Amino acid sequence: MTHLRSKRLPEQPGSRPGLALATVAALVASLGLGAIAPADAAPETAGAVRTVGSPGGWSDTPHGFASLDGGTTGGAGGKVVTVTDQASLARYASAEEPYVIRVAGAIDVAPFGSDIVVTSNKTIVGVGDTGEIVHGELHLNPGTSNVIIRNLTIRDSYVEGDWDGKTTDFDAIQMDTVDHVWIDHNRFEHMGDGLLDIRKDSRYITVSHNQFKNHNKALGIGWTTNVQTEITIDHNWFTGTKQRNPSADNCAYAHLYNNYLSAQVADGDPVWTYGNWSRGKTRMVIENSYYDGVQHPYQADATAELVQRGSILKNVGGRRDEWGTAFDPKDFYDYRLDPAAAVPALVTRFSGPQRRIGTNTVLNVPGDYPTVQAAVDAVPAGNDGTVTIRIAPGTYRAKVLIPATKPNLVLQGTGQDRSDTVIVYDTPAAYGGSNGSATVRILAGDVTARNLTFSNDFDEAAHELNGEQALAVKTTGDRIVFENTAFLGNQDTLMTDSPKLDVVSRVYIRDSYIEGDVDFIYGRATTVIERSLIKALSRGSDTNNGYITAASTWKDNPYGFLITKSKVVSDAPPGTYHLGRPWHPGGEPNAIAQVLFRDTELPAAVKSSPWTDMSGFSWKDARFTEYRTYGPGAGVTADRPQLADADASAYTVAKYLAGTDGWAPHRAPAGNGR
């Protein structure tokens, strides 16, 4: 079975590399950072922090030391859960199996200052900027590995009068002898001892885009005589803190860049009020950071090494130590520096919890989940946030079912072309009807698929069965979008349906390819096919090679199928193809097909009388029309009803899709189809 590669109209907004570059330049300008050179706006290299075109310019993938030695994936491969209370958070965080744990709203921990134990292979992420842990600590015990903690506020376990934290040890996060941890986009404030303690030979750590605020001890690293810890600390904001910004003791490698230290506590302490401290045998490199109002901005023990380059100091005093060669971070990973002058604006705006983080959970196939179905199974029932299943190039020979309980999914092929990523199976309707034959079945609402090929490659020529229909895709959910997708099959390739006759579901298909021969676009859903290529396959007949559509629209639904601004092609002989026939499932009299071909090119294969009867129901009782079709297969005859000009404004893409909620996916840029 063959199909055509992507045939898309000119690139849409959001899809051009130049537009991404312009977006970054506009961001910099909006922050008052001056012009940005093209080299600064180049796409990220592996491990770079800022990603061109992403919200706020950050990546959802760990960088720095946390990306090395196998990388840090957190709960990838596990189920996604949303928690709103302490018991649920504690249960999933301490479980043996991996989890992606979404924290929605504030969780008040009791007793005051208690630990929430986090075990290996966990991602804990705040939903938008709402996720908070109040009066409690996340604690990683020795041996814990592969943890991501993102987009949370952890606050308010401070005990009044215990400024030095000598009587309580209520940190925001504490870890002992762990490895592969990414702490990103959190806000830590007003805790009982340190805000973040990374202790006792912890390795492969990255701390990025966090806020350390209004506290004595911000970030401590060490508590060991061994020199093992490798840590990256970047784009953090230390403000209203006194010490440990950070204090790094006996780190093998400590790379600090693009951090912002401001409004240091001014208590007159000549020693223990300081910025960055390279202690013991630490090798520290500081790059392009910004210090404003800081005593002892960076200092080093005589046994340590500290290299500083490119930072800006304003209103500072005290020590600014530099000695030794330390190390070259580029020997370990790629990264890109922001100009030091840009750091205050960038860090204050884009550090700490962000509204767009945690709302879109990304599951990678096969990187995190071996199959598409395994990724779907990981999505929680009643899912209330977008989950994007990114599918790597390859052929996935397995069926996929998205149940009605799992809305808000995006299936995203990651190849250069939709033909790079194929979901295929070979079941005919003889083995289970339309439901049983469908390679992919989408029962949920608010599902989008992009840059994929869906196929049912059942070989009907090699089999004699009662029921050779073989669906590539069947949908029953509402608000379904297909962008740059291909649907491959013969009979009954694509069925867009609804849960029952008098329920309206809507499907929007754009920039796509559909092929088949008999009734290969059918069902009762309101379906718009726009800017797409439809191939009517020849069955080798000189008289009748098939039917493009078989609609079964509910009689009270004015909108069935709209095929607009598209092109139909065929390898069938001239005058051997029907545009469609009316399907009345089970003889249902209230299924009155509605189909409009509008502004669409038709091939010579289309019959001069292109509509025909089905199962005793006359096509003349259906609602079949054309409007401004063209090409060798177009024409105006008594057997080709035409939509009147006066009615054309009532049969547009917007009218078909709007429903009662104003759904308008056609107005979204390509790649953002919901």
Side-chain angles (χ1 to χ4, degrees):
M1 185 179 297
T2 61
H3 72 284
L4 302 181
R5 295 175 72 83
S6 301
K7 298 290 186 183
R8 305 189 69 177
L9 295 185
E11 290 176 316
Q12 303 299 306
S15 65
R16 298 189 297 275
L19 183 61
L21 179 59
T23 300
V24 173
L27 169 63
V28 173
S30 72
L31 294 172
L33 306 182
I36 183 169
D40 291 329
E44 67 172 6
T45 53
V49 177
R50 297 180 61 242
T51 305
V52 171
S54 66
W58 59 80
S59 170
D60 286 327
T61 303
H63 58 278
F65 280 111
S67 70
L68 304 183
D69 194 40
T72 303
T73 58
K79 291 187 175 181
V80 180
V81 295
T82 301
V83 300
T84 58
D85 61 81
Q86 180 179 349
S88 298
L89 173 60
R91 180 172 70 255
Y92 291 119
S94 63
E96 292 185 5
E97 60 268 37
Y99 275 103
V100 176
I101 305 167
R102 304 169 71 240
V103 179
I107 295 177
D108 195 342
V109 175
F112 185 94
S114 296
D115 291 350
I116 301 289
V117 173
V118 181
T119 55
S120 297
N121 307 314
K122 300 294 183 297
T123 294
I124 304 178
V125 58
V127 177
D129 55 3
T130 69
E132 296 192 340
I133 297 174
V134 185
H135 306 145
E137 170 186 313
L138 297 180
H139 193 96
L140 284 61
N141 287 319
T144 303
S145 178
N146 191 33
V147 173
I148 295 173
I149 300 173
R150 297 191 79 199
N151 215 47
L152 291 170
T153 292
I154 306 180
R155 61 177 174 86
D156 293 339
S157 66
Y158 178 70
V159 175
E160 289 298 328
D162 190 20
W163 175 241
D164 289 332
K166 297 298 186 183
T167 60
T168 63
D169 192 13
F170 299 158
D171 302 327
I173 301 175
Q174 184 180 116
M175 59 191 78
D176 291 338
T177 321
V178 304
D179 67 272
H180 293 93
V181 177
W182 186 30
I183 307 296
D184 179 70
H185 275 101
N186 302 287
R187 178 168 68 93
F188 306 118
E189 185 170 14
H190 209 52
M191 298 298 289
D193 183 32
L195 295 177
L196 176 58
D197 279 2
I198 299 170
R199 315 187 332 165
K200 299 179 181 177
D201 306 325
S202 294
R203 303 191 64 187
Y204 300 111
I205 313 294
T206 296
V207 179
S208 56
H209 292 97
N210 301 284
Q211 295 180 357
F212 298 85
K213 304 182 71 174
N214 304 324
H215 196 67
N216 184 346
K217 304 171 183 176
L219 168 55
I221 311 159
W223 291 271
T224 177
T225 57
N226 299 318
V227 183
Q228 293 187 331
T229 297
E230 307 97 333
I231 188 165
T232 302
I233 302 170
D234 68 277
H235 292 88
N236 299 283
W237 186 17
F238 299 85
T239 183
T241 58
K242 172 179 167 66
Q243 58 180 308
R244 299 186 185 173
N245 299 290
S247 165
D249 187 28
N250 286 327
C251 292
Y253 307 106
H255 183 204
L256 285 60
Y257 67 95
N258 287 147
N259 296 296
Y260 180 38
L261 281 69
S262 71
Q264 185 182 59
V265 171
D267 59 358
D269 186 332
V271 175
W272 297 103
T273 301
Y274 61 90
N276 311 145
W277 194 344
S278 181
R279 304 179 68 172
K281 295 183 179 179
T282 292
R283 292 186 288 266
M284 179 180 288
V285 174
I286 301 172
E287 298 182 281
N288 286 28
S289 290
Y290 197 107
Y291 303 82
D292 186 359
V294 179
Q295 174 180 268
H296 307 315
Y298 42 85
Q299 59 187 7
D301 290 353
T303 53
E305 299 183 29
L306 191 156
V307 170
Q308 188 286 134
R309 48 183 172 257
S311 298
I312 292 177
L313 289 80
K314 180 180 177 182
N315 302 319
V316 303
R319 295 173 60 178
R320 279 162 276 186
D321 302 335
E322 298 182 56
W323 48 68
T325 58
F327 66 102
D328 186 350
K330 291 182 179 178
D331 289 341
F332 295 90
Y333 51 80
D334 294 326
Y335 64 101
R336 187 184 59 207
L337 294 171
D338 287 309
V343 165
L346 283 171
V347 170
T348 55
R349 182 169 179 179
F350 296 124
S351 65
Q354 304 290 314
R355 289 184 180 181
R356 293 192 180 185
I357 296 179
T359 57
N360 186 357
T361 303
V362 177
L363 312 180
N364 293 294
V365 176
D368 302 331
Y369 301 83
T371 65
V372 178
Q373 190 63 55
V376 172
D377 292 343
V379 176
N383 172 51
D384 60 352
T386 300
V387 176
T388 297
I389 299 174
R390 289 171 48 85
I391 308 170
T395 297
Y396 299 84
R397 180 165 286 277
K399 293 185 177 183
V400 176
L401 170 63
I402 301 177
T405 56
K406 299 191 177 187
N408 303 310
L409 298 189
V410 176
L411 304 181
Q412 176 76 54
T414 63
Q416 293 296 312
D417 193 275
R418 64 190 174 213
S419 63
D420 294 338
T421 309
V422 181
I423 301 175
V424 57
Y425 213 68
D426 60 356
T427 303
Y431 305 146
S434 65
N435 287 340
S437 79
T439 298
V440 175
R441 191 152 58 108
I442 302 173
L443 282 61
D446 295 300
V447 175
T448 293
R450 301 190 189 106
N451 204 37
L452 293 165
T453 291
F454 303 103
S455 176
N456 190 322
D457 63 356
F458 169 70
D459 186 355
E460 59 184 35
H463 299 83
E464 290 294 333
L465 296 172
N466 291 322
E468 293 184 353
Q469 303 91 334
L471 283 68
V473 172
K474 178 177 180 178
T475 71
T476 56
D478 188 26
R479 297 188 299 271
I480 309 297
V481 174
F482 295 99
E483 290 181 343
N484 191 31
T485 50
F487 304 87
L488 310 184
N490 290 104
Q491 185 172 354
D492 293 7
T493 303
L494 172 62
M495 183 181 191
T496 57
D497 214 31
S498 68
K500 59 181 182 177
L501 179 64
D502 60 354
V503 173
V504 176
S505 291
R506 293 159 293 173
V507 178
Y508 179 55
I509 302 170
R510 174 167 66 182
D511 299 321
S512 293
Y513 173 82
I514 309 168
E515 72 172 25
D517 47 38
V518 174
D519 306 330
F520 62 95
I521 302 170
Y522 78 112
R524 62 174 167 251
T526 293
T527 304
V528 172
I529 301 172
E530 185 175 29
R531 296 181 346 206
S532 294
L533 188 64
I534 298 169
K535 185 171 185 180
L537 301 173
S538 176
R539 294 190 293 162
S541 172
D542 293 330
T543 57
N544 181 16
N545 278 289
Y547 319 86
I548 295 173
T549 67
S552 56
T553 319
W554 178 40
K555 67 179 180 62
D556 291 334
N557 181 6
Y559 301 120
F561 291 166
L562 171 62
I563 298 172
T564 183
K565 297 180 181 177
S566 295
K567 182 177 182 178
V568 180
V569 297
S570 181
D571 57 356
T576 61
Y577 242 100
H578 297 88
L579 293 180
R581 56 183 181 169
W583 182 37
H584 293 258
E588 173 57 64
N590 293 319
I592 309 298
Q594 194 278 326
V595 179
L596 168 60
F597 281 78
R598 178 172 183 157
D599 299 309
T600 290
E601 182 177 352
L602 302 178
V606 172
K607 289 176 174 284
S608 58
S609 297
W611 309 101
T612 190
D613 302 340
M614 185 177 188
S615 303
F617 290 91
S618 172
W619 73 265
K620 294 181 180 180
D621 295 327
R623 296 168 284 176
F624 291 150
T625 53
E626 298 174 68
Y627 186 69
R628 297 190 307 208
T629 55
Y630 59 97
V636 178
T637 70
D639 287 341
R640 302 188 77 149
Q642 303 293 309
L643 182 69
D645 288 339
D647 296 330
S649 63
Y651 291 87
T652 63
V653 174
K655 295 288 188 181
Y656 271 74
L657 298 178
T660 59
D661 57 6
W663 191 51
H666 58 292
R667 294 177 183 164
N672 188 22
R674 301 232 312 278

